């Protein structure tokens, strides 16, 4: 079902006409039950709604249907932090211990905990050296969640300065927002960001530590309203200092999100070639998918929400349709290394024999083995993925979607010591043999 255009005459591709996207057909082709698309371009917003809110329920998706944002929630948390930076209440480059009351209760032996020494810039760009997740179903607040995390035994975690996607970092950033505003995280975001933007975004039931990382739900149009804060055009909402918001466009030093994006700044991934760089974030939660892309200089914002795990395929189709219409959304397209045979190395997974073993990041563990010509990745929950070995310790995985991973080698010892996979850096379990030195 096609939605509304705020200004059809001033919108769309080169001829100024409204975009003509057949979302119903694309959704059917991708087996997506329902969703929304919102596109702001040339100063106007156009929206589409299609399908049902739940398969077989008979309730059509409408403009205000709320979909889980998943990890795209992080853009709201980061934007709230940047609001406070613009007000002079926070500094992106000072240790967060300065704003956390919990820092004063930590035993002396833990005063140098990475979570307290990290800066907000590191937290928001996933370079703070923190694990991916820390679940605590008994925590009744972000304060209690953080206190529990600081007291927990030190799990395997990457070194500070290394990119490793971390929900924990956003839980801590949310706690900083609480301590500065004196409000619970959601109330602070609601009062200073969601309501002033005119959104109907709400919080989902979730553990406190997960809320700032993935606990919001709303429409695609609501996501566009948030995205417009980050564009350089007259008429954008005046809710934060533009210079502070502009920090999101600056790639953080050391943020190499291999297999995930072309770069990362505070709160937003960077996608596409340098001359067509877009900001954005993706999210999944309970079978729903969400995509947000922002072109700061052109004032274009695109958001897609769906209620189906196949929403990624629909996003790819939408990006193609928008490109045909003259809106070239930036995407991450890494060039895979050559095959082992092309690189002159022995073909097959046997060349990766010294990479086998278990790799850990906090509570996340991945075990790597060999199966004929393939690498085998044993994932949490019993999932199993086959991967094609490539040159330069890189592999192409074919799980929910094709993406690259790689093994990192310690420059001093020559041994494989880490796995970069799905945006996470996992350290090799020291209890296992490292095998032969790499070729």
């Amino acid at each position: 079902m096609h939605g509304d255009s705020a200004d059809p005459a001033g919108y769309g591709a080169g001829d100024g006409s409204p975009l003509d996207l057949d979302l119903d057909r694309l959704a059917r082709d991708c087996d997506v039950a329902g969703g929304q698309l919102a596109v702001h371009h040339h100063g106007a917003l156009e929206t589409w709604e299609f399908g049902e809110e739940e398969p077989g329920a008979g309730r059509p998706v409408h403009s205000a249907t709320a979909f889980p944002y998943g990890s795209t929630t992080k853009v709201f948390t980061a934007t709230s932090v940047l609001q406070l930076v613009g007000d002079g209440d926070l500094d992106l480059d000072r240790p967060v211990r300065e704003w956390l009351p919990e820092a004063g209760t930590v035993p002396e032996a833990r005063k140098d905990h990475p979570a307290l020494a990290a800066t907000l810039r590191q937290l928001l760009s996933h370079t703070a050296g923190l694990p991916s997740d820390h679940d605590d179903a008994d925590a009744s607040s972000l304060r209690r969640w953080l206190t529990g995390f600081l007291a927990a035994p030190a799990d395997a975690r990457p070194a500070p300065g290394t990119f490793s996607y971390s929900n924990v970092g956003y839980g801590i950033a949310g706690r900083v927002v609480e301590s500065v505003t004196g409000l619970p995280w959601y109330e602070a975001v609601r009062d200073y960001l969601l309501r002033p933007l005119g959104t109907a975004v709400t919080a989902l039931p979730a553990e406190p530590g997960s809320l700032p990382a993935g606990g919001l739900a709303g429409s695609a149009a609501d996501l566009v309203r948030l995205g417009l804060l980050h564009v350089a055009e007259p008429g954008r909402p005046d809710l934060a200092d533009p210079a502070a918001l502009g920090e999101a466009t600056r790639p953080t030093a050391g943020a190499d999100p291999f297999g995930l994006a072309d770069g990362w700044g505070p709160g937003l991934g960077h996608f596409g070639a340098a001359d067509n760089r877009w900001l954005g974030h993706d999210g999944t939660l309970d079978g729903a998918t969400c995509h947000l892309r922002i072109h700061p200089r052109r004032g274009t914002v695109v958001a897609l929400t769906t209620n189906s795990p196949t929403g990624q395929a629909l996003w790819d189709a939408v990006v193609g349709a928008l490109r045909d219409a003259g809106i070239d959304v930036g995407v991450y397209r890494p060039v895979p290394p050559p095959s082992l045979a092309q690189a002159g190395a022995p073909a097959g997974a046997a060349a990766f024999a010294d990479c086998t073993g278990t790799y850990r990041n906090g509570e996340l563990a991945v075990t790597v083995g060999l199966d004929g010509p393939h690498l085998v990745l044993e994932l949490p929950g019993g999932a199993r993925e086959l991967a094609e070995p490539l040159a330069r310790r890189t592999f192409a995985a074919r799980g929910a979607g094709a993406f690259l991973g790689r093994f990192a080698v310690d420059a001093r010892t020559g041994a494989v010591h880490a796995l970069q996979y799905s945006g996470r850096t996992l350290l090799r379990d020291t209890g296992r043999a490292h095998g032969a030195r790499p070729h």
Side-chain angles (χ1 to χ4, degrees):
M1 181 175 71
H2 193 279
D4 298 322
S5 175
D7 180 12
Y11 182 85
D15 61 1
S17 63
L19 287 172
D20 184 17
L21 302 180
D22 189 351
L23 263 293
D24 289 312
R25 178 184 62 80
L26 294 177
R28 287 194 302 270
D29 291 347
C30 297
D31 195 26
V32 172
Q36 305 156 328
L37 174 68
V39 180
H40 183 277
H41 187 58
H42 289 171
L45 173 68
E46 192 163 3
T47 61
W48 295 257
E49 299 85 39
F50 54 93
E52 296 181 315
E53 291 184 337
E54 296 179 18
R59 298 190 304 274
V61 173
H62 53 86
S63 60
T65 299
F67 291 88
Y69 287 155
S71 286
T72 310
T73 297
K74 293 180 175 68
V75 185
F76 290 88
T77 298
T79 303
S80 295
V81 169
L82 294 175
Q83 281 183 302
L84 294 168
V85 169
D87 290 342
D89 296 315
L90 293 174
D91 187 313
L92 284 177
D93 297 309
R94 287 162 57 185
V96 295
R97 63 163 55 93
E98 297 184 22
W99 301 285
L100 293 173
E102 292 80 2
T105 66
V106 174
E108 193 62 35
R110 290 183 177 266
K111 292 291 186 183
D112 60 349
H113 196 292
L116 300 176
T119 67
L120 282 166
R121 189 183 302 276
Q122 290 175 318
L123 293 180
L124 299 181
S125 58
H126 304 287
T127 56
L130 297 175
S132 175
D133 295 284
H134 176 73
D135 298 327
D136 187 351
D138 295 328
S140 57
S141 65
L142 262 179
R143 179 181 64 81
R144 291 183 179 275
W145 170 85
L146 177 56
T147 300
F149 173 71
L150 294 173
D155 292 321
R157 58 186 62 149
T162 302
F163 183 92
S164 188
Y165 192 90
S166 174
N167 292 318
V168 170
Y170 272 76
I172 297 170
R175 177 61 186 141
V176 170
V177 170
E178 287 190 341
S179 67
V180 170
T181 63
L183 295 170
W185 172 80
Y186 174 68
E187 291 183 20
V189 173
R190 180 195 65 195
D191 293 352
Y192 295 113
L193 186 61
L194 302 179
R195 285 180 175 171
L197 282 175
T199 76
V201 174
T202 59
L204 298 168
E207 294 179 11
S210 300
L211 273 173
L216 295 180
S219 68
D222 286 335
L223 276 179
V224 167
R225 293 182 181 97
L226 172 69
L228 287 173
L229 277 176
H230 294 273
V231 305
E233 69 171 21
R236 74 174 176 182
D238 184 20
L239 295 181
D241 175 46
L245 292 173
E247 292 289 340
T249 69
R250 297 173 53 191
T252 298
D256 178 13
F258 179 81
L260 200 62
D262 291 292
W264 217 278
L268 288 161
H270 293 197
F271 300 87
D275 60 350
N276 186 38
R277 185 56 54 90
W278 290 65
L279 310 179
H281 214 293
D282 304 317
T284 60
L285 184 67
D286 297 335
T289 67
C290 176
H291 301 271
L292 172 66
R293 293 294 183 273
I294 305 160
H295 199 296
R297 290 185 289 107
R298 297 177 188 166
T300 301
V301 183
V302 179
L304 175 71
T305 55
T306 84
N307 59 9
S308 304
T310 52
Q312 175 64 53
L314 179 58
W315 171 246
D316 294 338
V318 165
V319 167
L322 289 173
R323 184 175 300 112
D324 292 341
I327 302 176
D328 189 11
V329 178
V331 296
Y332 174 60
R333 286 199 179 96
V335 177
S339 67
L340 293 173
Q342 291 172 324
F352 282 65
D354 61 332
C355 299
T356 60
T358 298
Y359 298 79
R360 301 184 186 277
N361 176 308
E363 299 161 6
L364 172 66
V366 174
T367 299
V368 178
L370 308 180
D371 185 358
H374 296 106
L375 289 171
V376 180
L377 281 69
E378 304 286 351
L379 307 176
R384 187 174 188 263
E385 288 185 356
L386 296 180
E388 176 189 359
L390 302 174
R392 300 198 292 272
R393 297 289 175 191
T394 301
F395 58 88
R398 312 258 182 236
F403 58 91
L404 297 177
R406 66 184 177 189
F407 297 93
V409 174
D410 189 308
R412 296 171 302 167
T413 66
V416 174
H417 74 98
L419 166 65
Q420 290 177 290
Y421 174 81
S422 190
R424 274 76 172 174
T425 297
L426 299 92
L427 303 183
R428 193 166 197 170
D429 192 328
T430 56
R432 299 198 175 219
H434 282 246
R437 292 170 61 90
H439 304 289

